[in-house]
Amino acid sequence: MATEQSQVLELFEKPFRGPSGGSISFPTGEGIGTRIGTGARPPPELGYATSLQRGRVFSVFIRAHRRAARSLCEYFMRARNIGELTSLANACRNLVNEQLFIYCLSFVIIRKPELRRVRIPTVVETFPSKFASQEMLQQAGNEINRNPARTEPIVINQEFSGTLIKPEHRLSYWREDYGINSHHWHWHLVFPVEMDIRRDRKGEIFYYMHQQMLARYDMERLSHSLNRVLPLTGFREPIVDGYFSKLTVNNSGRAWGTRQDNTTLKDIRRDDFGLGFISISDLELYYSRLLDAVHQGFIQDRQGNRIPLTDDPPNRGKRGIDILGDAFEADAELSVNYPFYGDLHNFAHVLISFSHDPDFAHREEVGAIGDPATSMRDPTFYRLHKFVDEFFQEYKLQQRPYNNEELGLPGVRVVRIGVLQDGVPNNLRTGWNQREFEAGRGLDFGGSAPIRLRFTHLDHRPFDYHLQIMNTLPAEKDVTVRIFLAPTLDERGNRMSFMDQRLLWTEMDKFVTKLTPGENKLVRSSRDSSITAPPEITFRELEAGREITSGTQAGVEFGQCGCGWPRHMLLPRGMPQGMDFQLFVMLTDHAVDKVEQVIRGRPCTNAVSYCGILDSKFPDARPMGFPFDRRNPAMINGNVIQTAGELAAQFDNMVMEDIKITFVGNQLQRA
Ligand code: CUO
């Protein structure tokens, strides 16, 4: 008898296989009881779910698509077990858009406590056409047809979407990494918009997670001697970077829209995507209203009430950054005034993704920036999100700097910190590694022979943080350890001020530990990072049916829900000759940081800093990004503070350490 896991895998396999013809039967019970022939009207239970054509892109950035997703997810949410989910899914899979179908299945399996015994397979295998070019997939299919016994994988060329003629393409391996794109797809799945989900601090995590991805992108750019990314300067200037993804939206060969360098945005009307008229003026109006709110210090709801915007709200109320995140992203159900503040960030994705064919004159598909699974491939994604982040920073810089009490932790001193990798102190090595996935599960050609794809990706060998801490208090003390990394030098080779370096600090880890009185020596593995997820789980691994027991390492890895920065991308590349970075470690009082809550079911607690905890509160009461989310205090104890190092020097609970990151290319495994 099929296991629950194998039933689920069957649902995820070959999503683009065509309608099988004949009659489609709907299971009876729970109000779902119709038997219809192909071509019959879809049952009302599917609501808007069939409004989206099969074969087209499904995008959570488009409101009509979110409405379709809401209907289909609600339809699936009736399932009380995997058997019922399978019946519901099989009944509608030939009626609804394929990508919508997988999105909603994934949504329901992650959300419903009764279904959490099963895992969803990696999106890389479900939709290989979002990760490898059509040319390579076709070649793979042809080779398998010619030689079904072929065992060598198809090697994905790292330069498949562009050449190094364009300096931006030095970062292609990073932007097109399967792991970061998979993370971003999952992030938008677990923080969905307008799906009646009330996740704790959703607006704030929207700001923080995207800000951190930008910081990581900028570290990577500096590793290649490229300047930090510049924001879009509005919607009327030409978009400097074009993008030609070489990907197809499904197996039919339908290509994603492409964009030339220096494309000018235009008003759009894409009724084929359920989009009415969206004008650049709309976006400018929304932006101006949101900026007014920041500068006035309050935002107005539908009733005209003024809601103060502050990150120090009384009684741990909703922070201003959280309110602004909900209004800017935007989520119509969470925004304080959706008609007034609009749908700015989602519309911006949409406007850019249709800039090559704003009125469907050319029957072109949406561009890759229109889908969270592919948007991070496009260089303009970072310019767009830098524009979004600059808005949030405009707000953050109006907050008062943190004071001594918030920054300090009397009685606790960090004596020394460092990192150790393969026995080498404070010099971390990065290089190339490879990972294989099977594409055959997501393609509707190639028969049943495995089609293996080999991706080359940045990686590093695991390392440990070593911390020597003195607790001079007479008792044990619970502390939060916060570890950040940033480049030491700017584009010109100069040391940076606090404000210049502030947005480059990337969270590496955050964890709670108990200090005993006296000296404490902590060793923490890079593999336990608060931002990373364990490696993607493939169909084959799930079929192998590893015994999953909670409390074991396998249980921990099973408990993740796909969201999380890929472990292999934890470190920036660095430089072949070694690049200077700084580690910043800060201990804070867990009694202040702690959030009271019960964690239930599959907690999805990997990568908690980027992905939160499902159905629970964000487990750190401080503002996300603390202490770098605000400007530096001008003076501490009478000393002027102009750099992060000067700040750390004033507090015993902070310390900085210089390290190097050296890129060794193909020599990584020979450490
Ligand atoms: Cu994740 Cu714009 O929010 O891509």
Side-chain angles (χ1 to χ4, degrees):
M1 187 179 144
T3 63
E4 289 188 331
Q5 184 65 64
S6 64
Q7 283 177 278
V8 166
L9 292 180
E10 161 70 15
L11 294 175
F12 279 79
E13 203 152 322
K14 297 198 183 292
F16 293 108
R17 66 182 178 232
S20 54
S23 71
I24 298 164
S25 62
F26 282 79
T28 53
E30 303 261 336
I32 316 163
T34 349
R35 177 170 284 274
I36 56 170
T38 307
R41 290 176 68 79
E45 292 87 356
L46 286 177
Y48 292 107
T50 53
S51 62
L52 186 54
Q53 263 180 26
R54 287 169 60 77
R56 304 296 300 276
V57 170
F58 157 69
S59 169
V60 292
F61 299 129
I62 297 175
R63 196 156 185 221
H65 290 198
R66 300 198 288 268
R67 203 177 298 134
R70 175 86 173 252
S71 288
L72 189 59
C73 292
E74 283 174 357
Y75 174 74
F76 286 158
M77 284 298 268
R78 303 160 185 216
R80 289 164 302 190
N81 52 49
I82 297 295
E84 287 185 9
L85 180 65
T86 305
S87 300
L88 289 169
N90 282 333
C92 73
R93 76 173 296 156
N94 290 333
L95 295 175
V96 298
N97 175 281
E98 304 85 344
Q99 299 180 39
L100 173 70
F101 178 79
I102 294 294
Y103 174 88
C104 287
L105 274 180
S106 310
F107 176 93
V108 170
I109 290 171
I110 289 173
R111 296 243 37 110
K112 253 191 115 92
E114 303 94 297
L115 307 183
R116 287 186 194 161
R117 288 191 303 279
V118 294
R119 272 293 311 266
I120 55 177
T122 172
V123 65
V124 183
E125 293 192 344
T126 309
F127 292 126
S129 57
K130 296 191 185 199
F131 296 86
S133 73
Q134 172 72 0
E135 193 183 344
M136 284 182 262
L137 294 174
Q138 197 64 50
Q139 180 199 346
N142 293 345
E143 302 237 355
I144 287 291
N145 286 341
R146 223 178 359 252
N147 175 16
R150 178 192 162 101
T151 51
E152 304 89 73
I154 299 292
V155 177
I156 308 288
N157 171 0
Q158 280 186 295
E159 271 189 50
F160 77 80
S161 74
T163 66
L164 296 179
I165 292 278
K166 192 174 162 68
E168 285 296 319
H169 288 166
R170 287 185 220 156
L171 269 290
S172 294
Y173 71 90
W174 196 95
R175 288 191 300 262
E176 294 174 351
D177 179 81
Y178 68 85
I180 69 167
N181 282 284
S182 167
H183 157 66
H184 191 235
W185 185 79
H186 277 99
W187 190 91
H188 282 277
L189 179 69
V190 297
F191 288 98
V193 169
E194 290 150 23
M195 296 290 280
D196 198 24
I197 303 285
R198 298 274 186 269
R199 289 204 64 171
D200 185 42
R201 294 166 71 181
K202 174 169 176 278
E204 186 177 6
I205 208 166
F206 169 74
Y207 136 78
Y208 181 61
M209 200 288 293
H210 287 87
Q211 187 277 325
Q212 284 286 292
M213 295 202 306
L214 287 169
R216 294 190 155 269
Y217 187 55
D218 276 339
M219 288 206 297
E220 205 70 16
R221 295 178 69 83
L222 291 172
S223 301
H224 290 270
S225 305
L226 290 173
N227 292 357
R228 280 170 274 189
V229 70
L230 294 170
L232 290 183
T233 49
F235 303 106
R236 309 253 174 207
E237 298 281 317
I239 304 251
V240 179
D241 297 306
Y243 187 61
F244 296 77
S245 71
K246 310 295 185 295
L247 306 182
T248 49
V249 300
N250 57 29
N251 302 331
S252 67
R254 194 180 176 91
W256 291 87
T258 57
R259 191 185 62 249
Q260 298 282 350
D261 289 350
N262 298 312
T263 298
T264 306
L265 296 179
K266 297 174 200 72
D267 298 345
I268 62 162
R269 185 186 293 282
R270 292 290 303 238
D271 291 334
D272 60 312
F273 265 86
L275 289 165
F277 181 63
I278 298 180
S279 74
I280 293 173
S281 305
D282 289 340
L283 273 72
E284 290 171 336
L285 190 61
Y286 298 149
Y287 184 65
S288 157
R289 288 170 175 172
L290 284 159
L291 213 50
D292 278 356
V294 167
H295 292 153
Q296 289 188 303
F298 63 83
I299 193 162
Q300 261 179 312
D301 69 12
R302 294 283 284 154
Q303 288 70 43
N305 300 312
R306 293 178 170 188
I307 300 161
L309 293 173
T310 168
D311 271 14
D312 296 307
N315 308 319
R316 289 199 172 184
K318 196 163 164 137
R319 290 195 176 98
I321 190 70
D322 203 10
I323 297 169
L324 289 170
D326 286 335
F328 197 113
E329 186 182 3
D331 186 318
E333 291 164 2
L334 301 179
S335 170
V336 293
N337 193 343
Y338 182 77
F340 190 71
Y341 295 109
D343 202 354
L344 184 49
H345 151 268
N346 291 325
F347 273 12
H349 270 274
V350 168
L351 215 64
I352 298 169
S353 64
F354 287 113
S355 57
H356 57 292
D357 190 16
D359 55 5
F360 201 41
H362 301 286
R363 286 192 168 275
E364 278 289 294
E365 201 38 277
V366 60
I369 200 168
D371 177 347
T374 50
S375 55
M376 290 187 74
R377 309 173 89 85
D378 184 338
T380 299
F381 172 91
Y382 304 88
R383 291 196 179 228
L384 164 60
H385 268 279
K386 190 74 184 164
F387 163 79
V388 174
D389 193 58
E390 290 219 328
F391 169 82
F392 291 131
Q393 298 304 336
E394 180 77 15
Y395 166 75
K396 281 285 184 180
L397 293 183
Q398 298 196 13
Q399 306 306 301
R400 63 170 178 84
Y402 292 113
N403 57 34
N404 282 23
E405 193 187 332
E406 290 161 319
L407 293 169
L409 180 56
V412 174
R413 182 157 54 91
V414 190
V415 182
R416 266 182 67 178
I417 57 157
V419 285
L420 200 63
Q421 183 191 50
D422 294 321
V424 179
N426 293 350
N427 191 348
L428 299 172
R429 291 152 61 97
T430 66
W432 298 126
N433 203 349
Q434 294 185 320
R435 172 92 202 261
E436 285 183 14
F437 291 99
E438 262 182 50
R441 316 305 187 109
L443 302 175
D444 50 15
F445 56 80
S448 57
I451 300 175
R452 283 156 54 216
L453 302 177
R454 181 177 288 170
F455 292 85
T456 301
H457 60 83
L458 186 68
D459 203 356
H460 57 273
R461 312 240 323 137
F463 58 92
D464 291 323
Y465 304 94
H466 289 254
L467 295 93
Q468 197 183 330
I469 301 163
M470 182 60 73
N471 175 13
T472 58
L473 301 169
E476 288 183 334
K477 182 79 188 160
D478 287 336
V479 294
T480 309
V481 181
R482 300 166 192 270
I483 306 179
F484 294 88
L485 178 80
T488 309
L489 305 174
D490 69 5
E491 289 83 346
R492 295 161 55 219
N494 295 331
R495 288 195 170 252
M496 285 180 269
S497 67
F498 183 97
M499 291 304 286
D500 197 13
Q501 198 179 25
R502 189 175 73 88
L503 299 180
L504 285 167
W505 287 107
T506 52
E507 181 174 331
M508 297 297 283
D509 205 351
K510 178 164 67 176
F511 58 96
V512 178
T513 193
K514 191 181 283 299
L515 300 178
T516 55
E519 191 183 57
N520 290 258
K521 286 192 171 160
L522 299 183
V523 180
R524 171 86 172 176
S525 167
S526 62
R527 299 171 80 85
D528 295 329
S529 167
S530 55
I531 65 158
T532 59
E536 308 262 332
I537 299 197
T538 63
F539 273 83
R540 191 173 284 265
E541 287 164 335
L542 289 170
E543 280 164 354
R546 281 188 285 143
E547 194 60 34
I548 305 297
T549 321
S550 63
T552 62
Q553 185 56 26
V556 169
E557 305 217 340
F558 187 82
Q560 65 119 342
C561 298
C563 183
W565 194 248
R567 204 180 257 172
H568 62 261
M569 297 290 270
L570 179 64
L571 288 179
R573 187 193 82 139
M575 290 178 170
Q577 69 275 28
M579 178 170 164
D580 293 322
F581 283 86
Q582 291 173 310
L583 271 178
F584 178 95
V585 174
M586 176 180 196
L587 305 191
T588 54
D589 188 347
H590 184 57
V592 176
D593 308 336
K594 131 170 127 215
V595 174
E596 298 294 347
Q597 62 181 328
V598 182
I599 295 173
R600 306 167 220 100
R602 176 162 70 192
C604 299
T605 45
N606 295 103
V608 66
S609 290
Y610 279 12
C611 304
I613 306 175
L614 206 63
D615 299 332
S616 303
K617 293 188 175 153
F618 191 81
D620 179 7
R622 307 251 182 185
M624 295 180 199
F626 173 86
F628 295 112
D629 64 314
R630 297 191 188 178
R631 67 172 70 248
N632 56 292
M635 305 253 279
I636 296 282
N637 307 327
N639 295 298
V640 174
I641 304 297
Q642 285 179 334
T643 65
E646 287 169 357
L647 181 76
Q650 293 302 316
F651 292 95
D652 280 351
N653 58 315
M654 298 179 201
V655 74
M656 280 177 66
E657 180 69 41
D658 291 334
I659 66 164
K660 277 196 191 295
I661 299 184
T662 305
F663 176 69
V664 299
N666 292 324
Q667 305 297 310
L668 184 65
Q669 299 309 324
R670 282 170 233 156

